[in-house]
Amino acid sequence: MDAKWRWPSIPCGNKVSWAAIVMAVLVEAWVRWSWDATRGVPGFFVTDAARGQRLAENYDGWFAGVPVRTNRFGFRSTREDRLEKAPNTFRILVLGDSVTFGHGAVHDYPALLEDALRRWRPDIDWQVWNLGVPGYNTAQELTYLEQVGRQYSPDLVVVGFFLNDIIANAVPHQPGVAARASAAALAFAQRHWYSYEFYKRVVLTLAWRLSTNDSVR
C-alpha cells in the first residue's frame, strides 16, 4: 500500500515566529506608506552606550520644524568637515544642549559665530563645530568631549550652559561590550526602521494607560 503524501507539519513555535515576521513587515510597509515626507527620514536621535543618545551621522531631515543636516561625524553641519587642519586653522568646539544645537532655528549660534569671526579675520581658517545635542546635560557633554576631544584637536572648547543642564548629571562611565553591542543594534533600528517610533509610541502609551503610579503617568 502506497503511503499518502502529506504537507510537512510546521511546529507551532515556528508558525508564531513567521507570523511575527510577516506582521512586522506589514507594519513597516504601512508606516512607510503613510509617512509624512515633511518629517524627513527617521533616526535623528540614536542610542549611545555612554551618552544615552546622540545625533545620527549624515542625517538629512527635519527637527523642530526646520530642516536639519548632520555630517559624517554626527554633529549639525551643512558641509563636509574634515579632521585635518591647515596651518592657519583655529578650531572651536561648542558643547551644549538644544540652545546650542539651535532648536527650531535655521541658523544656530555657532554657525553665526563662525561667520562673524571670518569677517573679522578672513586670513584665519575659523572652524566652529556645533556639538550641541538637544536634551544634553553637562555630564553627557563631558562624556562627548572625552570621546572626540583628541580626534577633533580643538584649539578652544566652549560650553553653552543653561540652568537645567545640571539635572540628572551622573559620573561618566565606560560601557561594557554588551552595552555597546545593544546600543549599536538599537541605533541601527532607529535609523533604518520607520516603524521603530510607532512601536515606541505604542509601548509608552500602554505604560501610561496601565500605570497607577502618578509619577510614571
Side-chain angles (χ1 to χ4, degrees):
M1 183 176 180
D2 295 335
K4 294 183 178 180
W5 184 86
R6 297 180 179 178
W7 287 99
S9 61
I10 301 176
C12 182
N14 289 344
K15 291 180 180 179
V16 173
S17 298
W18 277 108
I21 293 173
V22 171
M23 181 61 67
V25 170
L26 291 175
V27 170
E28 177 72 12
W30 172 73
V31 173
R32 284 176 178 262
W33 176 78
S34 58
W35 189 264
D36 182 1
T38 61
R39 294 177 59 189
V41 295
F44 175 68
F45 286 115
V46 294
T47 299
D48 184 87
R51 292 184 267 147
Q53 67 178 12
R54 57 179 173 82
L55 304 185
E57 298 85 356
N58 297 313
Y59 179 84
D60 188 1
W62 294 75
F63 178 73
V66 299
V68 168
R69 288 180 58 191
T70 63
N71 60 15
R72 62 191 178 102
F73 303 118
F75 60 81
R76 187 173 186 177
S77 179
T78 58
R79 64 193 179 196
E80 294 295 328
D81 298 287
R82 299 178 180 274
L83 294 178
E84 298 79 11
K85 297 170 65 177
N88 67 329
T89 296
F90 192 92
R91 182 173 295 164
I92 303 172
L93 304 185
V94 186
L95 299 161
D97 58 6
S98 57
V99 178
T100 297
F101 172 83
H103 184 103
V106 175
H107 303 291
D108 52 279
Y109 78 75
L112 297 176
L113 172 61
E114 182 179 281
D115 290 341
L117 290 171
R118 291 191 173 192
R119 289 194 301 270
W120 172 55
R121 288 287 303 275
D123 56 311
I124 297 177
D125 175 31
W126 298 100
Q127 297 180 3
V128 183
W129 288 7
N130 184 353
L131 304 192
V133 180
Y136 263 22
N137 57 32
T138 52
Q140 289 169 301
E141 293 158 10
L142 175 59
T143 303
Y144 193 2
L145 181 61
E146 290 176 341
Q147 288 177 334
V148 303
R150 289 182 179 273
Q151 183 184 20
Y152 291 178
S153 303
D155 298 291
L156 177 67
V157 176
V158 176
V159 178
F161 180 78
F162 194 70
L163 293 177
N164 64 356
D165 291 353
I166 61 174
I167 297 175
N169 275 331
V171 177
H173 67 285
Q174 291 296 327
V177 176
R180 292 197 300 270
S182 176
L186 276 175
F188 180 87
Q190 291 160 343
R191 188 68 195 271
H192 299 286
W193 292 358
Y194 280 59
S195 54
Y196 180 89
E197 288 297 326
F198 169 78
Y199 294 125
K200 180 180 177 180
R201 186 164 61 248
V202 169
V203 170
L204 292 176
T205 301
L206 286 175
W208 179 81
R209 291 184 180 277
L210 298 178
S211 176
T212 57
N213 188 322
D214 289 337
S215 63
V216 173
R217 294 174 64 88

